């Protein structure tokens, strides 16, 4: 598509439930990133997919968080047993593989509220 | 490891006045530096980047940024602020490898008419 698409745009869930957040990157962009934006905390890196390489999971805050990318395109971020501190805006971005001088194109994000 | 500091949480400026949003960085090797802007309820939008070459980089919406290697800074500037520039601004850095961008905490710019 023309841009990075994220769904849902808003998600309210009860504490303890699992949630799945979806990201559809720009066609042809082989690098995909997930970030979390919390109030006053800036953007926190979560996980990075680059082509067929093993993902960089170094930013995932706990083992309740996982992500996959199927067919080198769509990615799903899963949060199990959600906690109130998971409430944030989850942003997905994509860029051209191996192009360190390229910036990212971000989606509009998914606002997650855990009640 | 890379890091970015945006020392001001909030910057207020009168419309028509020049604006500066500060950013300092730390990175091993040569830095790749970026500025992004986030308008309310919108995703981040790319403003400009420094990779190599001239230290003064020009970007979207009349913004520019100056790379200063000795001070490890990459401050965002605009000669004449507009009310529509009011938004959240993020500075980001990466090294020469394909590591993820590291972002600052953001600076909220408020331009007052």
């Amino acid at each position: 598509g023309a841009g990075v698409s994220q769904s849902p745009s808003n998600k309210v869930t009860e504490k303890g439930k699992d949630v799945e957040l979806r990201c559809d990157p720009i066609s042809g962009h082989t690098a995909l990133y997930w970030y979390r934006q919390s109030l006053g905390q800036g953007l926190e890196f979560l996980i990075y997919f680059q082509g067929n390489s093993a993902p960089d999971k170094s930013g995932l805050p706990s083992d309740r968080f996982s992500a996959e990318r199927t067919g080198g395109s769509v990615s799903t971020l899963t949060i199990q047993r959600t906690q109130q501190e998971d409430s944030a805006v989850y942003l997905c971005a994509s860029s051209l593989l191996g192009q360190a001088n390229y910036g990212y194109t971000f989606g509009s994000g998914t606002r997650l509220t855990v009640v | 490891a890379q890091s970015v500091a945006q020392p001001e949480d909030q910057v207020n400026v009168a419309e028509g006045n020049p604006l500066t949003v500060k950013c300092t960085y730390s990175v091993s090797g040569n830095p790749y530096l970026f500025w992004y802007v986030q308008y309310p309820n919108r995703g981040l939008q790319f403003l400009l980047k420094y990779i190599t070459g001239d230290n003064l980089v020009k970007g979207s919406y009349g913004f520019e940024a100056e790379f200063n290697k000795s001070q490890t800074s990459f401050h965002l500037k605009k000669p004449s602020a507009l009310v529509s520039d009011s938004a959240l601004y993020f500075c980001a850095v990466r090294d020469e490898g394909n590591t993820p961008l590291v972002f600052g905490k953001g600076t909220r710019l408020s331009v007052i008419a």
Side-chain angles (χ1 to χ4, degrees), chain B residues 33-93:
Chain B
L33 293 154
F34 300 80
W35 276 100
Y36 284 83
V37 60
Q38 186 178 38
Y39 298 102
N41 300 315
R42 301 280 295 277
L44 273 73
Q45 298 178 29
F46 169 79
L47 268 183
L48 51 78
K49 66 182 179 184
Y50 171 82
I51 304 302
T52 187
D54 290 341
N55 289 342
L56 185 64
V57 178
K58 295 188 183 295
S60 307
Y61 312 121
F63 283 92
E64 58 190 29
E66 185 167 13
F67 170 64
N68 187 316
K69 187 173 184 177
S70 63
Q71 297 185 0
T72 61
S73 67
F74 190 56
H75 301 330
L76 181 70
K77 301 181 180 183
K78 187 173 182 181
S80 178
L82 300 173
V83 172
S84 58
D85 294 329
S86 299
L88 187 58
Y89 291 81
F90 289 95
C91 182
V93 68

Side-chain angles (χ1 to χ4, degrees), chain A residues 6-7 10 26 43 52 65 67 75 100:
Chain A
Q6 291 189 246
S7 61
N10 281 284
I26 290 175
L43 268 71
N52 295 321
F65 288 72
S75 177

Side-chain angles (χ1 to χ4, degrees), chain B residues 1-4 25-28 93-97 99-102:
Chain B
Q2 301 101 300
S3 66
V4 172
Y25 66 90
S26 174
V27 68
S28 300
V93 68
R94 69 195 303 182
D95 61 22
E96 293 167 290
T99 54
L101 276 174
V102 172

Side-chain angles (χ1 to χ4, degrees), chain A residues 4 25-32 69 72-73 93-97 103-105:
Chain A
V4 177
I26 290 175
S27 178
H29 280 193
T30 50
L32 186 147
R69 189 177 185 192
S73 181
S94 68
S95 71
L96 289 170
L97 173 63
Y104 301 169
T105 302

